Amino acid sequence: MTWFAGVPLQLNIAGTRFWMAAEALDAQEDRFSSDPSLYEERGERPGRDWAATGLFLLARVQLDQLVEILDREFGIQATAFSGAEVSRRLGECFDKPDDQSGGEDLSYEIDAVGEAVDLWRALRAAEDGMMVGHGFAVDGSITITTGPDLPELTALSLRASESGELETMPTEVLERASWCTMEAARLAVMRRHQERERARATEDDAASERKTPEAEHEDGLERLHALEQAAKSHFSVWWLGSEDAFVEWAVGTLRAAGLIAASDDVSEARAAACLMSLWALYRELNAYGDEGSVGDWRYNVGTWVDDGITTEHLRTLNSVDQLGWELDDPDTDAPLADVCVSVVARYHRDVADVLLNELGDSFTFAYFWAARSEDVGYPLSPELVHEIVNDESVMFDDPHNKLPAFNWVQSGMHL
């Protein structure tokens, strides 16, 4: 090669001239020389091409960083392996089913990094013979350029030196060295994410194995207890009523009937839906009993959002029960109170049917009605049920208030 296109006469890095040792000595020698004409340049460049030599030196320093990445991130010592072996070992890190390449073909990048190791080794071997020099014809034109002995690198598109003559521009060598270092870093970051995902998966598997059926059962009970406690705050129609005891009894009854559980996210969401539906039925019965207006529960059901039923519960129910709300559409702001009304419309029938089938009309009415009185213990005794349903007891209010509510229960507890 007779000329290096694009190689400057001198290397300026961050605004500062880059000097090689021999170059600096020669420059100072020229200044003190008694016969400067001896050092006049012939042809377009002097015999010793300091700028080109500096570019090869910078490329080797750049590749030192690539070698550090391989050693620190992959445990591959470049001094011990050929470029082909480095590529093979890198490939093993990304040929597993759970790799983080996202389906991307990394074979070229891996081959290029392996060849960069061969380039690094060649530049290190040529440290004493790194100097780039030119041969000149009589007319001053460059006839040959010599420099470090470089290998043929197909992936990097760098030609090998031929009989001591350079066939590759130093600017290309530095460019490829920089690119390969960044690709090695990209592969390393992919590997880091891969290892994190594997560790997370292993931890999840171990946690799953550690979680015995007894532990899962206890976890479900804790979830259900939390839902029950949140629900109690909404059963507050009567100042001195026994509504907490009523909720505890209802949860046990519905759980025994298999209607509510909290063993996973879906069952927890459905349990919250059933408790909210139980509350709506309770409010409706009291409305028929002259405490509020029929249908008022619809205006208050929004108070359950994030206090008895979470937005994630509502998303789960909307999905599994196909309620039809666009809860994940950023352009649609669905009113969550209306979503709760839809949930009650879907689940109140299940709750009402379980209670009516389990207890019958009279007992269901009595269990709901008794919650308005103080210090009532659940389950109710048959005598207390008889008193509520049949007697004109002052304790359980005027029978004229009871009749509409009892008729609503007897007709099926429809909302």
Side-chain angles (χ1 to χ4, degrees):
M1 176 175 287
T2 58
W3 182 250
F4 285 114
V7 177
L9 290 175
Q10 65 185 38
L11 296 181
N12 294 317
I13 301 174
T16 302
R17 172 78 181 269
F18 176 74
W19 293 93
M20 297 189 67
E23 179 188 11
L25 291 170
D26 282 356
Q28 294 296 345
E29 187 68 34
D30 287 348
R31 293 179 181 178
F32 290 97
S33 173
S34 59
D35 188 6
S37 64
L38 295 175
Y39 301 95
E40 290 179 357
E41 298 180 5
R42 297 186 61 201
E44 297 176 349
R45 290 215 175 170
R48 286 177 291 190
D49 194 331
W50 298 113
T53 303
L55 289 172
F56 280 122
L57 177 60
L58 291 176
R60 193 202 69 190
V61 173
Q62 177 67 87
L63 291 172
D64 286 341
Q65 306 309 304
L66 176 144
V67 168
E68 180 180 344
I69 291 173
L70 291 175
D71 187 10
R72 186 172 64 187
E73 298 290 335
F74 295 96
I76 299 175
Q77 296 183 346
T79 54
F81 305 110
S82 66
E85 178 62 15
V86 169
S87 295
R88 188 189 70 80
R89 289 173 178 252
L90 276 177
E92 288 181 346
C93 297
F94 296 95
D95 62 2
K96 298 178 178 61
D98 60 344
D99 68 49
Q100 298 300 304
S101 63
E104 180 181 356
D105 184 3
L106 299 173
S107 57
Y108 172 72
E109 289 80 359
I110 289 172
D111 289 344
V113 170
E115 286 190 353
V117 170
D118 287 335
L119 177 61
W120 171 74
R121 185 174 287 107
L123 292 175
R124 287 189 66 201
E127 185 168 0
D128 295 333
M130 187 80 78
M131 181 63 66
V132 176
H134 300 295
F136 296 89
V138 176
D139 62 1
S141 62
I142 297 175
T143 58
I144 189 174
T145 297
T146 59
D149 188 18
L150 301 180
E152 186 79 16
L153 302 173
T154 305
L156 296 180
S157 299
L158 297 180
R159 297 174 60 189
S161 300
E162 185 175 340
S163 301
E165 182 175 6
L166 285 172
E167 297 293 337
T168 295
M169 292 187 293
T171 51
E172 294 177 337
V173 173
L174 179 57
E175 178 191 43
R176 304 299 196 281
S178 175
W179 179 81
C180 286
T181 301
M182 287 301 292
E183 286 306 302
R186 185 164 76 97
L187 294 173
V189 170
M190 286 184 174
R191 174 71 179 278
R192 287 180 182 179
H193 284 282
Q194 181 186 68
E195 293 299 324
R196 290 192 193 110
E197 289 299 321
R198 287 177 180 168
R200 188 178 294 112
T202 300
E203 184 178 343
D204 290 344
D205 290 343
S208 177
E209 291 177 0
R210 289 194 301 268
K211 199 167 187 178
T212 63
E214 292 79 7
E216 290 180 353
H217 179 68
E218 290 178 2
D219 180 56
L221 290 178
E222 289 178 2
R223 291 187 182 193
L224 194 55
H225 179 69
L227 292 176
E228 178 184 314
Q229 293 304 112
K232 285 180 178 179
S233 65
H234 296 281
F235 285 77
S236 57
V237 176
W238 305 101
W239 179 252
L240 294 176
S242 301
E243 290 160 318
D244 283 0
F246 168 74
V247 173
E248 293 174 6
W249 162 82
V251 168
T253 301
L254 296 175
R255 181 168 168 244
L259 189 58
I260 65 172
S263 57
D264 53 41
D265 292 341
V266 173
S267 64
E268 180 180 335
R270 285 176 169 162
C274 287
L275 290 176
M276 187 167 65
S277 297
L278 176 71
W279 166 86
L281 293 169
Y282 179 74
R283 288 294 299 266
E284 192 77 342
L285 181 138
N286 279 282
Y288 277 102
D290 203 24
E291 184 59 37
S293 300
V294 172
D296 274 356
W297 66 269
R298 290 179 174 85
Y299 306 112
N300 296 300
V301 70
T303 61
W304 278 72
V305 177
D306 293 328
D307 185 22
I309 192 166
T310 66
T311 53
E312 191 57 38
H313 288 153
L314 294 176
R315 291 179 184 276
T316 299
L317 295 168
N318 185 57
S319 175
V320 298
D321 294 320
Q322 300 179 346
L323 299 180
W325 292 94
E326 296 293 338
L327 298 183
D328 297 315
D329 186 350
D331 297 327
T332 302
D333 187 14
L336 295 182
D338 291 346
V339 179
C340 289
V341 171
S342 296
V343 170
V344 171
R346 160 65 180 83
Y347 281 91
H348 83 278
R349 238 351 325 126
D350 296 338
V351 175
D353 289 345
V354 164
L355 295 176
L356 291 172
N357 292 334
E358 185 79 16
L359 302 174
D361 299 343
S362 297
F363 272 74
T364 299
F365 168 75
Y367 272 71
F368 274 73
W369 193 267
R372 61 175 54 202
S373 297
E374 186 179 5
D375 296 331
V376 174
Y378 286 82
L380 306 182
S381 66
E383 293 77 16
L384 187 54
V385 171
H386 182 271
E387 181 181 353
I388 294 171
V389 174
N390 299 299
D391 290 351
E392 297 182 6
S393 169
V394 175
M395 177 181 178
F396 293 106
D397 292 345
D398 191 318
H400 294 294
N401 291 336
K402 294 181 186 177
L403 187 58
F406 182 81
N407 288 339
W408 176 72
V409 172
Q410 198 171 40
S411 64
M413 302 178 73
H414 296 285
L415 292 179

